[in-house]
Amino acid sequence: MFEKGSSSLSPLSSSSTTIVYNNNHKHLIEKEESQQEFKKRMKTKVIPITQITKDQQSYNPKYYHSVDLEAIDKDTKEFYNVVVAIGDKDSTDTATIEITKVEQKLFQILLDVAKVNNCNTTLRVAGGWVRDKLRGDNSHDIDIALDNMMGEAFAALVNKYLEDHHQETHRIGVIQSNPDQSKHLETATVKIFDSWVDLVNLRSETYSSNSRIPEIKIGTPEQDAFRRDLTINSLFYNVNENRIEDFTGNGIVDLKCGIVRTPLPPLTTFLDDPLRVLRSIRFATRLYYAIDHKLVEAASNPTVKEALKSKVSHERIGIELDGMLNGPRPDLAIQLIYEFGLFDHVINIPDSIEIQDKEYKYKSILNVLNMMRFINWGTQAEEASTRKTRLLASLCANIYGYTFKNPLKKNKDTPILQHVLVDYLKVSNKECDEITNVLECAKLFRPLVNQFYTNHVFSRKSVGLVIYKAGPFWKSSLAIALISELPEFQHNLVYPLHKEEINNSPSHDFYLHLSHPNHHHPPLCDESKDIEIKYDQFCATVANHDLVGVWNIKKLLNGKQVMDMLQRKPGEWLTPLLQDVFEWQLDNPQLGEKECKEYVLSKFSPK
């Protein structure tokens, strides 16, 4: 909660997690070293941005607020309401944020480490943690920005402090500088109690015209704030002074009013790093904040689109899309991608391919929107989390079935779906196979559902074979089939834009979409309700025929048993015979192994 001319921020539920990777994106880099190596490295790692003089080596109380750790240990509260100052030292604005017991202890230890080692270091929590705390959300993503030390050097001091105080220590993780993954400076991670903390330097960035990989220099807090993607992500919590710092001058206002805006002119920000266009869409639709109209103009600029194509790796685009699909409003995210003219940069179709349906992009948006209306339909009968699979399948449904000659694979026929998901967006082969199977089974299911509904015919064998093929994603396939039958409707989703000359507080709903994701969608028409009822009745019949879980069914006979019975050697004949036996089993669920053997002998024994 903000005070003095403040407007409260509605608490929204969100969280973020720090995942520590090395250049291979697989494992945390861990180091062990001797005391001699540690001392040698410390001498080279400390960057004397602020020279520590003899006069400064005594404890200066103005840098620290202190907390009684023993009192915290005895306290049973999980959260503390902490009043923090906002702005410079002359400002009287304050906000109340919730800090957990663990966070309070963690910050105090970091301050004590700086104090006992005479570091004269100002500790700042950067970015997402500050944004989320001011919004009333929980956050586990603690990134500490240091103004005069390298992260690994400070992490070593933290471990030494913990060891001296008889606390458990952990190996230091190091995320090496990796510009392809937007890691431009070495980052150290250290575990304090049960929390991993990232430690990195404040920095400034200078970009060249042909790369999104900047030249990095140690910077001031102001430089570090302005080089970030959005104003709401550029806030710092100065741990030393218990103060929220807003060096861009717009972060607090934009957080209060719900505005997505860049610290620098948006065209500059996007040309420096075009990936920020997609990040802006992700945050706007995650928080449902109004988008600065200048940001929209810049995002739609052809120069930015070309920069996104030439400067951003496919993997990074895939990561941003994944964040959108896992957010509360993926339908809005895909719509904005389409409206900004960026669809081809996400669903990348080879130039040699012509999709027959010229409106496939627009229909892909409608598919995702409709899937959000049915995103939880039937999920209680699925054994796996299928939300992302459903959304990607609905997004790509209109390109399923197309192939092209791939010059990178000796001109073999390659499904476009595989090219888009695996080669371009870097989705795993397993996920791609699941999505392909979901779409294939959706096409198989649709005539079976309509046959059941129109002619009251339900073939246990035919339906069972498709469910067996779909496995635990069978309801996802049915959901795809369902939305493919829905009539088109006018969705009229107009995303709110922010225009300073009109109003600094856009009048739109910031949070209702989180608890009611279909709030902005029109109710189902009678035709759509009838289609839903049809699929509900089909699912009920599947359950009545005991077909749920059929993919785990124990087959009555295996290959060895069949060969022994027929006294035949292995060969191509065996696979279709076993398929025939399985189909018989689906058709005769009440019969057992004895009857199955009689069937095999009667049908396949030599005459």
Side-chain angles (χ1 to χ4, degrees):
M1 169 184 271
F2 291 91
E3 297 177 2
K4 190 203 164 188
S6 63
S7 63
S8 61
L9 294 175
S10 302
L12 307 181
S13 176
S14 68
S15 64
S16 56
T17 304
T18 301
I19 303 176
V20 182
Y21 295 110
N22 66 2
N23 290 345
N24 296 322
H25 324 302
K26 297 290 184 184
H27 303 290
L28 186 69
I29 301 176
E30 299 178 337
K31 292 187 175 182
E32 285 185 300
E33 59 189 327
S34 67
Q35 193 70 15
Q36 184 177 1
E37 290 173 333
F38 164 71
K39 290 179 180 179
K40 180 180 178 181
R41 182 171 46 77
M42 285 288 288
K43 288 180 181 179
T44 60
K45 285 286 187 180
V46 176
I47 298 177
I49 302 168
T50 305
Q51 294 289 345
I52 301 177
T53 66
K54 290 182 179 179
D55 294 338
Q56 293 172 316
Q57 289 189 14
S58 60
Y59 166 53
N60 186 342
K62 80 172 185 178
Y63 276 96
Y64 306 95
H65 64 277
S66 75
V67 176
D68 186 343
L69 291 180
E70 291 187 4
I72 291 178
D73 285 331
K74 294 176 183 177
D75 202 326
T76 58
K77 290 190 223 174
E78 291 298 322
F79 293 92
Y80 296 88
N81 286 325
V82 177
V83 177
V84 295
I86 295 180
D88 57 34
K89 295 181 181 179
D90 296 329
S91 173
T92 58
D93 288 354
T94 61
T96 301
I97 63 176
E98 278 191 346
I99 294 182
T100 67
K101 186 176 183 179
V102 171
E103 289 167 342
Q104 188 86 311
K105 290 180 69 174
L106 187 150
F107 292 152
Q108 188 59 49
I109 284 174
L110 294 176
L111 290 171
D112 287 347
V113 169
K115 174 183 173 182
V116 300
N117 290 283
N118 297 315
C119 295
N120 199 30
T121 298
T122 300
L123 303 165
R124 291 178 170 89
V125 188
W129 185 91
V130 187
R131 177 198 66 232
D132 292 342
K133 287 293 182 177
L134 286 172
R135 283 167 41 82
D137 297 341
N138 290 327
S139 180
H140 307 289
D141 189 7
I142 300 179
D143 297 336
I144 300 293
L146 306 166
D147 62 349
N148 69 342
M149 290 186 71
M150 293 293 284
E152 189 181 357
F154 193 83
L157 295 177
V158 169
N159 265 354
K160 186 174 185 306
Y161 176 92
L162 292 173
E163 184 179 351
D164 291 345
H165 288 75
H166 310 292
Q167 298 291 331
E168 183 180 6
T169 61
H170 302 268
R171 294 174 179 174
I172 296 170
V174 177
I175 307 171
Q176 300 292 347
S177 174
N178 187 346
D180 288 339
Q181 295 299 308
S182 296
K183 295 291 184 183
H184 304 306
L185 276 186
E186 179 182 289
T187 302
T189 65
V190 63
K191 194 171 187 180
I192 305 175
F193 304 124
D194 292 324
S195 300
W196 282 100
V197 179
D198 284 2
L199 300 161
V200 72
N201 297 98
L202 295 169
R203 57 195 186 268
S204 65
E205 299 174 348
T206 304
Y207 289 83
S208 63
S209 60
N210 60 350
S211 174
R212 62 178 284 266
I213 301 172
E215 178 186 348
I216 301 297
K217 294 180 180 179
I218 305 300
T220 64
E222 185 174 8
Q223 289 172 324
D224 196 278
F226 274 97
R227 60 102 193 158
R228 293 178 180 267
D229 53 359
L230 301 172
T231 57
I232 58 174
N233 295 334
S234 66
L235 298 167
F236 292 107
Y237 170 54
N238 187 319
V239 183
N240 300 52
E241 300 178 7
N242 192 37
R243 183 178 299 276
I244 303 294
E245 297 172 327
D246 181 7
F247 291 100
T248 70
N250 286 319
I252 293 294
V253 171
D254 291 349
L255 201 59
K256 285 182 179 181
C257 298
I259 301 167
V260 169
R261 180 177 11 217
T262 55
L264 295 172
L267 191 58
T268 301
T269 296
F270 293 158
L271 289 179
D272 282 347
D273 184 354
L275 184 68
R276 290 169 176 166
V277 176
L278 298 180
R279 285 179 60 81
S280 298
I281 292 173
R282 176 163 64 85
F283 277 104
T285 54
R286 171 190 159 189
L287 305 175
Y288 201 55
Y289 278 9
I291 302 178
D292 176 26
H293 69 287
K294 295 178 182 177
L295 188 155
V296 175
E297 293 171 5
S300 305
N301 189 301
T303 309
V304 172
K305 296 176 187 177
E306 184 57 35
L308 183 64
K309 180 179 179 181
S310 62
K311 294 171 70 172
V312 180
S313 70
H314 302 165
E315 184 175 15
R316 290 301 301 171
I317 291 175
I319 290 171
E320 288 303 319
L321 178 63
D322 187 72
M324 295 176 198
L325 296 179
N326 286 318
R329 295 301 303 272
D331 51 327
L332 291 183
I334 299 301
Q335 178 180 327
L336 288 176
I337 286 172
Y338 175 78
E339 291 183 356
F340 290 176
L342 303 173
F343 191 90
D344 290 335
H345 297 285
V346 177
I347 304 299
N348 181 263
I349 306 297
D351 294 335
S352 60
I353 296 300
E354 183 177 353
I355 305 298
Q356 292 178 354
D357 188 345
K358 303 302 181 184
E359 296 186 352
Y360 79 93
K361 298 177 187 178
Y362 177 71
K363 290 182 178 178
S364 296
I365 299 169
L366 291 182
N367 280 347
V368 175
L369 190 151
N370 275 326
M371 183 54 72
M372 282 302 294
R373 302 167 89 189
F374 289 91
I375 196 63
N376 294 317
W377 181 82
T379 53
Q380 69 275 8
E382 292 176 312
E383 294 185 349
S385 175
T386 61
R387 186 177 192 270
K388 180 182 174 183
T389 303
R390 289 183 176 208
L391 290 169
L392 272 176
S394 60
L395 178 62
C396 297
N398 292 296
I399 63 172
Y400 171 71
Y402 286 89
T403 61
F404 74 108
K405 297 291 184 183
N406 191 339
L408 300 178
K409 298 181 179 179
K410 298 181 180 179
N411 282 319
K412 290 183 178 180
D413 284 346
T414 299
I416 289 182
L417 190 63
Q418 178 183 323
H419 166 76
V420 169
L421 295 179
V422 178
D423 299 337
Y424 191 78
L425 296 174
K426 307 303 180 184
V427 169
S428 70
N429 284 303
K430 179 177 180 292
E431 286 182 290
C432 180
D433 290 343
E434 289 171 349
I435 292 164
T436 302
N437 194 43
V438 163
L439 290 170
E440 185 176 345
C441 291
K443 289 198 170 185
L444 297 173
F445 267 131
R446 186 167 171 175
L448 294 174
V449 174
N450 287 318
Q451 183 184 43
F452 162 75
Y453 191 72
T454 303
N455 302 323
H456 307 291
V457 173
F458 186 92
S459 167
R460 190 178 193 277
K461 180 180 75 174
S462 298
V463 174
L465 286 172
V466 181
I467 294 178
Y468 181 82
K469 177 177 174 56
F473 290 92
W474 70 284
K475 278 291 186 73
S476 296
S477 292
L478 279 172
I480 293 291
L482 189 162
I483 67 169
S484 72
E485 293 194 43
L486 295 176
E488 188 173 333
F489 64 92
Q490 296 297 321
H491 61 292
N492 295 326
L493 287 175
V494 180
Y495 200 88
L497 301 183
H498 166 64
K499 296 186 177 182
E500 291 180 0
E501 61 270 22
I502 297 176
N503 190 344
N504 201 40
S505 299
S507 55
H508 68 279
D509 189 350
F510 294 155
Y511 57 90
L512 186 60
H513 73 297
L514 284 178
S515 53
H516 302 283
N518 300 327
H519 172 71
H520 298 277
H521 303 159
L524 294 176
C525 64
D526 290 342
E527 184 180 353
S528 296
K529 290 178 181 177
D530 289 342
I531 292 170
E532 183 182 14
I533 290 171
K534 174 174 70 174
Y535 277 81
D536 283 337
Q537 291 176 348
F538 182 82
C539 289
T541 306
V542 167
N544 289 338
H545 281 81
D546 197 25
L547 285 172
V548 179
V550 71
W551 53 90
N552 291 322
I553 192 171
K554 186 179 186 305
K555 296 182 180 179
L556 295 176
L557 297 177
N558 58 37
K560 185 177 184 307
Q561 288 173 297
V562 170
M563 287 187 291
D564 289 344
M565 288 169 54
L566 300 177
Q567 297 181 344
R568 296 182 65 180
K569 294 181 179 179
E572 294 181 355
W573 62 274
L574 185 57
T575 298
L577 189 153
L578 289 174
Q579 179 65 22
D580 186 286
V581 171
F582 179 58
E583 292 178 12
W584 177 90
Q585 184 176 343
L586 289 174
D587 256 343
N588 300 276
Q590 74 281 6
L591 302 181
E593 183 179 334
K594 178 184 175 182
E595 292 83 0
C596 186
K597 288 180 177 179
E598 292 173 354
Y599 168 76
V600 171
L601 290 172
S602 64
K603 184 173 182 179
F604 298 105
S605 291
K607 301 299 182 185

